[in-house]
Amino acid sequence: MYPLRRNRRLRTNESIRSLVRETIITPNDFLVPLFVVEGKNIKEEIASMPNYYRLSLDHLTKEVKELWNLGLKSVLLFVKVDDKLKDNSGTEALNPNGLMQRAIKTVKDACPDMIVMTDVALDPFSIYGHDGIIHNGQILNDETTSVLAEMSLSHAKAGADFVAPSDMMDGRIFEIRTLLEDEGFHNTSIMSYSAKYASAFYGPFRDALDSAPVDAQNIPKDKKTYQMDFANRHEAIKETLMDIEEGADIVMVKPGLCYLDIVRDIVDTVNVPVAVYQVSGEYAMLKAAAEKGWLDHDAVMMEQLTAIKRAGASIIASYFAKDVSKLMNH
């Protein structure tokens, strides 16, 4: 009791605070999302995500080498597909010489030890901007999971270390794991977006990939029939446990800051690594506030990321990964 116990003794100066600090951020915590486009010599800033870019394959090579030199050892690939290649069944997603497949090979050629994770979902390839095949205004679950499994196999053949299904279709982890096993890809891992919420924070990401749901008759206007209701908590545990039973090696909660209670619930329940995706809207808000001079960019960035790790995240997918690593290297 006071005065025998004075808690402020352990806060006296930065040396003491750092000595007893419970949560430490390092480059090993991060998964770096990267957006890839066709063409050459393209490094195109995303308007709603300042200082973040769509990269052609030549710039992708340069980027992964820089990331590796900063101590960042894993990337998560997304591709922006030309409209003429989009349809309602994800045909281009299965093209062995498609942009995703070439991007995987590009990263591995540039930096063989870089861990490559790939987005597995139909929305970048869909004329409707949805994560599933649509028929009579409905998102078809089982038909979609079959395509997602074939898509995952295509990524594995191209050299992906992990496939990362982000669609929230029921049973897709089992379909993917079964096909990978049948085809001999026993060591290709799955990071499942297990608790992915129907969030309003995804807007800038959809700008980056031109993958927002289209506004058309008989087409669902949003993704609420498959992404989770943000009011639900126990459902996240159920979804996550099912994905682990079906073969997921890592599970993910998405978005980040508004869902740290879910992260803690899941970390306390499961025995696999838990990833958190700090999404584009979270990134854009801080960038905008910092540009206005309303917030200290680096201080708030570190506070947010520390909060995510403090909640229990083993892995943080974040657009700030490069900023943080540069800050640590100075």
Side-chain angles (χ1 to χ4, degrees), residues 125-136:
F125 303 92
S126 169
I127 54 175
Y128 301 120
H130 273 284
D131 294 51
I133 297 168
I134 295 180
H135 181 67
N136 291 334

Side-chain angles (χ1 to χ4, degrees), residues 3-143:
L4 299 180
R5 296 300 310 161
R6 291 178 181 268
N7 294 335
R8 288 182 57 194
R9 292 180 191 133
L10 298 183
R11 305 174 199 152
T12 303
N13 56 52
E14 177 57 23
S15 295
I16 292 176
R17 290 192 296 273
S18 62
L19 183 67
V20 299
R21 187 161 292 142
E22 299 173 30
T23 306
I24 307 295
I25 296 288
T26 79
N28 290 330
D29 294 313
F30 291 104
L31 172 60
V32 186
L34 295 174
F35 300 119
V36 185
V37 294
E38 290 282 12
K40 292 184 178 180
N41 198 31
I42 296 173
K43 185 176 181 180
E44 179 181 36
E45 187 172 27
I46 301 160
S48 54
M49 297 178 67
N51 203 37
Y52 223 83
Y53 301 87
R54 303 180 191 93
L55 304 171
S56 54
L57 295 178
D58 50 337
H59 277 282
L60 179 63
T61 294
K62 297 174 185 176
E63 185 70 12
V64 296
K65 289 180 177 179
E66 182 180 356
L67 294 175
W68 185 262
N69 289 334
L70 287 169
L72 294 160
K73 300 173 183 176
S74 55
V75 296
L76 177 58
L77 299 180
F78 299 89
V79 294
K80 185 178 186 294
V81 179
D82 193 290
D83 285 347
K84 68 177 182 292
L85 297 175
K86 297 180 181 182
D87 59 21
N88 186 35
S89 56
T91 303
E92 178 61 19
L94 308 183
N95 179 358
N97 196 40
L99 181 58
M100 176 64 85
Q101 290 78 359
R102 284 180 283 127
I104 296 165
K105 294 172 183 175
T106 296
V107 175
K108 285 297 187 182
D109 287 344
C111 195
D113 291 329
M114 182 72 79
I115 297 299
V116 177
M117 302 192 185
T118 59
D119 180 53
V120 174
L122 292 188
D123 51 333
F125 303 92
S126 169
I127 54 175
Y128 301 120
H130 273 284
D131 294 51
I133 297 168
I134 295 180
H135 181 67
N136 291 334
Q138 300 293 317
I139 309 293
L140 302 182
N141 191 92
D142 295 1
E143 292 83 352

Side-chain angles (χ1 to χ4, degrees), residues 6-301:
R6 291 178 181 268
N7 294 335
R8 288 182 57 194
R9 292 180 191 133
L10 298 183
R11 305 174 199 152
T12 303
N13 56 52
E14 177 57 23
S15 295
I16 292 176
R17 290 192 296 273
S18 62
L19 183 67
V20 299
R21 187 161 292 142
E22 299 173 30
T23 306
I24 307 295
I25 296 288
T26 79
N28 290 330
D29 294 313
F30 291 104
L31 172 60
V32 186
L34 295 174
F35 300 119
V36 185
V37 294
E38 290 282 12
K40 292 184 178 180
N41 198 31
I42 296 173
K43 185 176 181 180
E44 179 181 36
E45 187 172 27
I46 301 160
S48 54
M49 297 178 67
N51 203 37
Y52 223 83
Y53 301 87
R54 303 180 191 93
L55 304 171
S56 54
L57 295 178
D58 50 337
H59 277 282
L60 179 63
T61 294
K62 297 174 185 176
E63 185 70 12
V64 296
K65 289 180 177 179
E66 182 180 356
L67 294 175
W68 185 262
N69 289 334
L70 287 169
L72 294 160
K73 300 173 183 176
S74 55
V75 296
L76 177 58
L77 299 180
F78 299 89
V79 294
K80 185 178 186 294
V81 179
D82 193 290
D83 285 347
K84 68 177 182 292
L85 297 175
K86 297 180 181 182
D87 59 21
N88 186 35
S89 56
T91 303
E92 178 61 19
L94 308 183
N95 179 358
N97 196 40
L99 181 58
M100 176 64 85
Q101 290 78 359
R102 284 180 283 127
I104 296 165
K105 294 172 183 175
T106 296
V107 175
K108 285 297 187 182
D109 287 344
C111 195
D113 291 329
M114 182 72 79
I115 297 299
V116 177
M117 302 192 185
T118 59
D119 180 53
V120 174
L122 292 188
D123 51 333
F125 303 92
S126 169
I127 54 175
Y128 301 120
H130 273 284
D131 294 51
I133 297 168
I134 295 180
H135 181 67
N136 291 334
Q138 300 293 317
I139 309 293
L140 302 182
N141 191 92
D142 295 1
E143 292 83 352
T144 298
T145 59
S146 294
V147 177
L148 296 175
E150 293 289 346
M151 186 177 176
S152 297
L153 178 60
S154 177
H155 294 181
K157 289 179 177 178
D161 300 290
F162 281 78
V163 293
S166 62
D167 55 285
M168 291 298 289
M169 298 295 124
D170 291 331
R172 89 274 205 214
I173 303 303
F174 179 77
E175 288 262 2
I176 292 169
R177 185 73 268 163
T178 300
L179 184 59
L180 291 174
E181 292 296 319
D182 288 347
E183 295 292 329
F185 288 91
H186 310 300
N187 293 324
T188 302
S189 301
I190 300 173
M191 180 179 70
S192 173
Y193 290 58
S194 297
K196 182 178 181 180
Y197 285 85
S199 171
F201 283 95
Y202 301 149
F205 175 93
R206 292 172 182 167
D207 290 344
L209 294 185
D210 188 24
S211 62
V214 300
D215 185 9
Q217 189 174 7
N218 296 325
I219 303 299
K221 66 180 181 179
D222 54 41
K223 301 188 177 186
K224 293 181 179 179
T225 66
Y226 46 100
Q227 293 179 358
M228 287 177 52
D229 185 341
F230 62 73
N232 291 359
R233 181 176 182 179
H234 298 297
E235 184 182 15
I237 297 175
K238 177 180 69 174
E239 290 277 1
T240 302
L241 290 174
M242 289 177 67
D243 282 358
I244 294 170
E245 290 171 2
E246 292 175 17
D249 300 285
I250 298 172
V251 295
M252 178 186 279
V253 176
K254 183 180 181 181
L257 290 175
C258 291
Y259 299 85
L260 296 187
D261 58 325
I262 308 300
V263 176
R264 175 46 59 187
D265 285 345
I266 291 174
V267 168
D268 287 344
T269 303
V270 307
N271 293 308
V272 302
V274 177
V276 173
Y277 202 137
Q278 187 187 35
V279 298
S280 58
E282 297 173 81
Y283 175 87
M285 286 194 303
L286 177 50
K287 289 293 184 183
E291 185 179 334
K292 290 284 190 180
W294 295 339
L295 290 175
D296 180 324
H297 178 278
D298 291 350
V300 174
M301 173 182 70

